[in-house]
Amino acid sequence: MRVDARLNRERILAAAEEVFGELGAQASTEEVARRAGVGVATVFRHFPTKTDLVEATLVRHFDDLVTHARMLAAAPAPGPALGDLVTAMVERGATKVTLANLLGAADQVPSGAADAARRLRDAVDAVLRRAQDAGVARPDVSVDELYFLVRGLTQAAAAMPVPTAVSRGAVRVVLDGLAAHR
Amino acid sequence: MRVDARLNRERILAAAEEVFGELGAQASTEEVARRAGVGVATVFRHFPTKTDLVEATLVRHFDDLVTHARMLAAAPAPGPALGDLVTAMVERGATKVTLANLLGAADQVPSGAADAARRLRDAVDAVLRRAQDAGVARPDVSVDELYFLVRGLTQAAAAMPVPTAVSRGAVRVVLDGLAAHR
DNA sequence: AGATAAGCGAAGTGGCGACTTCGGATCCTA
DNA sequence: TAGGATCCGAAGTCGCCACTTCGCTTATCT
């Protein structure tokens, strides 16, 4: 692969992240191309279909979070680690979710995204289990439920631009609900 | 207004609710017309713009919930009433939210929907305050936060068709977080 | 029952956005 | 540094979907 091609690919992904984050996932491919400073054809050469582009952006986001989660799985205090993870997912996931919506709308389930989602689920699972084993998270909550909650918070945050205080408060409520019974 | 016109209007609204609920808000107007058993022109005569149609469907949903909330505001037990309300909003709101997303995407904020949203907010507020006054809900939570939480749960439920057990579990976590500290 | 106005749907129209084509520019190799 | 392969973007094509037009149908009123 030529260096200019690789550079363009990077530029496109970065632009896609920006554009989809701001305009939502229904933003046109041309807007992404414009923002990346390339022609549409170049975008389509790298990502044959719009879904492919969205998927690639999604996988990127997911993998960032996976890295973060794996780090937290080794953190000294399991309780705060769980809290950190939830907060991070909510605050950094705004774009991710609108993208996921678009993918969900299409009938096809792109395998790449599904894999990334599974990786993330597993990483989150590890953090949750550790908190439960340490007795600081209620044991009757499954990853699926946690994941569901996080996704919900993220989506709400993405959909309505709301004062940070409100979303923080909402996260606090969820974390309290997650904590072991006092 | 002629009776057939009014009947068609009803049919269209019902179809819109169905279609948008199933296909998401990006479903075409023609699909709504087909499902309603009328021509597209009829749909556009009643709702000059697609946004108008979406808005009308939204307002309907909101007002249903407002009715429910007002009922619960007079229920004997304030704590369970709050729980009921949250559950109802999450379970019956699946379509509502995807619609709200579409509206949010457009730059315009249709005043009708905004009004309905405000009414709902107020009704929810009443239920929450009563639970707080009764000492069964933590006093440091605002309607905005509750609203945010509910919206999140609803959206998550709408986006990923997940076993009911999971969404129930998630709601339970939120309700526990909402409960007064034990 | 007949007039009339309101309502209806089949058949358009226009624009937007996903995707393609092709002649020219750019990078790497020998 | 010359040649060939790779990559690029301007200018399309094509289909879909929001919205309109217009001749016909149907309710309502007298």
Side-chain angles (χ1 to χ4, degrees):
Chain A
M1 195 184 215
R2 264 165 53 171
V3 299
D4 53 348
R6 186 176 300 275
L7 183 66
N8 270 344
R9 192 191 166 85
E10 267 317 301
R11 268 208 273 262
I12 290 168
L13 275 176
E17 207 161 313
E18 241 184 75
V19 170
F20 290 145
E22 289 172 23
L23 285 303
Q26 79 272 23
S28 71
T29 309
E30 313 205 14
E31 178 59 32
V32 174
R34 197 176 315 124
R35 196 81 66 104
V38 304
V40 249
T42 304
V43 177
F44 280 102
R45 195 168 307 110
H46 284 284
F47 307 96
T49 229
K50 184 173 181 176
T51 304
D52 291 331
L53 175 57
V54 172
E55 184 189 346
T57 312
L58 237 191
V59 169
R60 240 196 179 196
H61 261 283
F62 275 141
D63 284 348
D64 276 2
L65 288 174
V66 168
T67 304
H68 196 70
R70 292 210 175 125
M71 210 180 65
L72 287 173
L82 182 59
D84 269 13
L85 181 56
V86 172
T87 306
M89 290 181 86
V90 172
E91 291 186 354
R92 293 162 43 181
T95 50
K96 183 193 71 189
V97 165
T98 50
L99 299 183
N101 280 349
L102 180 66
L103 287 182
D107 301 354
Q108 39 188 325
V109 188
S111 59
D115 285 355
R118 200 157 32 67
R119 279 197 298 279
L120 181 55
R121 207 196 93 114
D122 290 347
V124 172
D125 194 24
V127 176
L128 173 62
R129 283 216 198 297
R130 219 163 66 98
Q132 285 173 334
D133 290 347
V136 293
R138 48 151 69 187
D140 63 334
V141 172
S142 70
V143 216
D144 289 327
E145 283 152 3
L146 174 58
Y147 208 72
F148 185 89
L149 284 166
V150 168
R151 175 157 183 169
L153 289 173
T154 309
Q155 245 163 335
M160 46 166 163
V162 97
T164 321
V166 172
S167 67
R168 286 276 166 79
V171 170
R172 208 185 52 230
V173 168
V174 169
L175 288 178
D176 274 8
L178 232 39
H181 285 186
R182 279 138 289 168
Chain B
M1 195 185 217
R2 267 164 52 169
V3 300
D4 53 350
R6 188 175 300 276
L7 183 66
N8 271 343
R9 190 191 165 86
E10 267 317 300
R11 269 209 273 260
I12 290 168
L13 275 176
E17 209 161 311
E18 243 183 72
V19 170
F20 290 145
E22 289 172 24
L23 284 304
Q26 79 272 24
S28 72
T29 309
E30 314 204 14
E31 178 59 33
V32 174
R34 198 176 313 126
R35 195 82 65 107
V38 302
V40 252
T42 304
V43 176
F44 279 103
R45 197 170 305 109
H46 284 284
F47 307 95
T49 229
K50 183 173 183 177
T51 304
D52 291 331
L53 175 58
V54 172
E55 184 188 347
T57 312
L58 237 191
V59 168
R60 239 196 178 195
H61 260 282
F62 275 142
D63 284 348
D64 276 1
L65 288 174
V66 168
T67 305
H68 196 70
R70 292 210 175 124
M71 210 181 64
L72 287 173
L82 182 60
D84 269 13
L85 181 56
V86 171
T87 305
M89 290 181 87
V90 172
E91 290 186 355
R92 293 162 43 181
T95 51
K96 186 194 71 192
V97 165
T98 49
L99 300 183
N101 281 348
L102 180 67
L103 286 182
D107 301 354
Q108 39 187 325
V109 188
S111 58
D115 285 355
R118 200 156 31 67
R119 279 197 297 279
L120 181 55
R121 208 196 92 114
D122 290 348
V124 173
D125 195 24
V127 177
L128 174 62
R129 282 214 199 297
R130 217 164 66 98
Q132 285 173 334
D133 289 348
V136 292
R138 48 151 70 187
D140 62 335
V141 171
S142 70
V143 218
D144 289 327
E145 282 151 3
L146 176 57
Y147 209 73
F148 185 89
L149 284 166
V150 168
R151 174 156 183 170
L153 288 172
T154 309
Q155 243 163 337
M160 46 167 164
V162 99
T164 323
V166 171
S167 67
R168 284 276 166 79
V171 170
R172 208 186 53 231
V173 168
V174 169
L175 289 178
D176 275 7
L178 232 39
H181 284 186
R182 280 137 285 165

